[in-house]
Amino acid sequence: MRRNYKTPFGEADIIAEDGEEIAFVEVKARSSDEYGVPAEAVGREKQRRYRKIAEFYWLETGKEPNARFDVAEVFADGRIEYRKNAF
């Protein structure tokens, strides 16, 4: 597992191997639900960046390009929800 993986395209919060897949995880927290749930804050631009980060990771590590993109949501009440294949 890697945390805060930096690339020229941005940073992935967590990269973890889950069996045959590599999970690229964005951690999103919200202090309130006034503007929606945390996962809703992962827009198209952030998703595009994560795909570029994954490509960079595959080139750097030589690992097979079998990925999924997840979001770990941290809510104001301390609850954490995990969304596999969020985008």
Side-chain angles (χ1 to χ4, degrees):
M1 181 171 76
R2 292 189 178 192
R3 293 171 50 189
N4 303 322
Y5 177 72
K6 292 176 179 46
T7 75
F9 308 104
E11 180 179 314
D13 293 329
I14 299 170
I15 300 174
E17 292 188 30
D18 183 15
E20 297 289 320
E21 292 181 310
I22 298 174
F24 292 83
V25 183
E26 171 71 2
V27 178
K28 272 296 183 202
R30 289 277 174 105
S31 56
S32 78
D33 61 359
E34 185 175 341
Y35 298 106
V37 297
E40 293 174 335
V42 183
R44 291 182 196 267
E45 179 59 27
K46 177 66 86 169
Q47 293 173 19
R48 186 186 68 74
R49 259 188 267 138
Y50 258 80
R51 287 184 179 92
K52 292 276 191 191
I53 291 167
E55 290 174 17
F56 186 87
Y57 181 80
W58 296 323
L59 289 172
E60 181 181 74
T61 63
K63 294 200 180 242
E64 195 67 32
N66 187 14
R68 69 169 197 257
F69 301 94
D70 302 346
V71 175
E73 298 178 290
V74 182
F75 292 86
D77 62 6
R79 182 172 37 101
I80 298 172
E81 291 189 16
Y82 193 82
R83 294 183 183 219
K84 279 176 92 170
N85 296 308
F87 58 93

